[in-house]
């Protein structure tokens, strides 16, 4: 997944901002590596050799604001407080809640999308379905065919009502995705097994 995204990034360098309140040698090395793919703007701290927007008060708001104002093509939250960044998005775009998805590489080198990705996200079936549809659209625009694995909190029916509901919701999301011509399966509860069959995992919640 990451190799395809990097190939697209190489075609045309974009102006990308990253939020940093503190740095170390590893972060600096990553910034220098990122120079190959984007014109980097650091928001928060001052970093030698990079364009910087210093802000010690509310760097998260500044980071989100410059994206809203289209001064950059994209942002990376870095080590800023998530609430500041998400709050500006919610206010500016009229969202009740911002839903997040991430790309993960596990210890076996397997890469996959996963989301919802926040503890306060994806607690309803509707939210998970909404996000899944949007992530699949994103994947297609990145020339990646979505293979979706929807998870539940357990995979054995009739143990508890909560488990039953979780399985029913997972199967409903799968059915809705299939109606949109998206390959999707209910894959139980274990992420480590699901990633063998899917490149986008929809967990039962954002936790």
């Amino acid at each position: 997944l990451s190799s395809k995204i990097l190939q697209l990034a190489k075609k045309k360098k974009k102006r990308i901002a990253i939020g940093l309140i503190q740095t170390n040698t590893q972060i600096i090395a990553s910034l220098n590596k990122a120079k190959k793919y984007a014109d980097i703007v650091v928001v928060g701290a001052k970093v030698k050799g990079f364009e910087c927007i210093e802000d010690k008060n509310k760097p998260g708001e500044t980071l989100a604001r410059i994206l809203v104002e289209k001064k950059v093509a994209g942002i990376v939250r870095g080590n800023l407080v998530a609430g500041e960044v998400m709050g500006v998005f919610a206010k500016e775009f009229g969202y009740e809640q911002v839903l997040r998805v991430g790309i993960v590489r596990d210890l076996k080198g397997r890469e996959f999308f996963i989301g919802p990705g926040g503890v306060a996200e994806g607690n309803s079936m509707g939210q998970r379905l909404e996000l899944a549809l949007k992530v699949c659209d994103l994947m297609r625009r990145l020339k990646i065919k979505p293979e979706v694995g929807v998870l539940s909190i357990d995979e054995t029916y009739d143990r508890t009502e909560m488990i039953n509901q979780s399985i029913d919701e997972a199967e409903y999301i799968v059915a809705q995705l299939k109606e949109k011509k998206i390959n999707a399966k209910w894959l139980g509860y274990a992420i480590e097994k699901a990633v063998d069959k899917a490149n986008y995992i929809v967990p039962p919640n954002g936790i």
Side-chain angles (χ1 to χ4, degrees), residues 110-131:
R110 299 174 297 184
E111 293 184 333
F112 53 95
F113 286 82
I114 185 167
V119 294
E121 300 166 25
N123 293 314
S124 73
M125 179 177 65
Q127 278 190 350
R128 296 195 297 281
L129 176 58
E130 176 189 3
L131 181 62

Side-chain angles (χ1 to χ4, degrees), residues 27-86:
I27 289 174
I28 299 299
S30 295
L31 288 175
N32 284 315
K33 186 177 180 180
K35 279 183 177 180
K36 299 177 184 177
Y37 308 102
D39 296 322
I40 304 298
V41 180
V42 177
V43 176
K46 185 175 182 178
V47 181
K48 187 177 179 180
F50 292 88
E51 179 184 348
C52 300
I53 301 174
E54 292 185 71
D55 187 340
K56 296 180 180 179
N57 297 317
K58 294 185 176 181
E61 289 189 11
T62 300
L63 182 69
R65 185 77 57 193
I66 61 175
L67 180 60
V68 171
E69 295 173 355
K70 298 182 178 180
K71 294 179 179 178
V72 294
I75 62 173
V76 178
R77 179 170 64 87
N79 54 25
L80 301 187
V81 176
E84 283 187 22
V85 182
M86 298 299 107

Side-chain angles (χ1 to χ4, degrees), residues 68-162:
V68 171
E69 295 173 355
K70 298 182 178 180
K71 294 179 179 178
V72 294
I75 62 173
V76 178
R77 179 170 64 87
N79 54 25
L80 301 187
V81 176
E84 283 187 22
V85 182
M86 298 299 107
V88 172
F89 280 128
K91 181 179 179 181
E92 290 292 331
F93 294 108
Y95 297 148
E96 291 184 7
Q97 188 173 32
V98 178
L99 301 175
R100 291 169 284 180
V101 63
I103 299 177
V104 174
R105 179 188 293 151
D106 67 12
L107 292 175
K108 295 182 179 180
R110 299 174 297 184
E111 293 184 333
F112 53 95
F113 286 82
I114 185 167
V119 294
E121 300 166 25
N123 293 314
S124 73
M125 179 177 65
Q127 278 190 350
R128 296 195 297 281
L129 176 58
E130 176 189 3
L131 181 62
L133 289 169
K134 290 179 177 178
V135 172
C136 288
D137 179 60
L138 172 63
M139 293 176 73
R140 284 169 168 169
R141 283 188 282 156
L142 293 171
K143 311 299 182 185
I144 299 168
K145 183 181 178 181
E147 299 287 347
V148 186
V150 183
L151 305 187
S152 53
I153 61 174
D154 199 284
E155 59 187 17
T156 304
Y157 211 79
D158 284 339
R159 290 182 64 187
T160 69
E161 284 300 318
M162 183 181 295

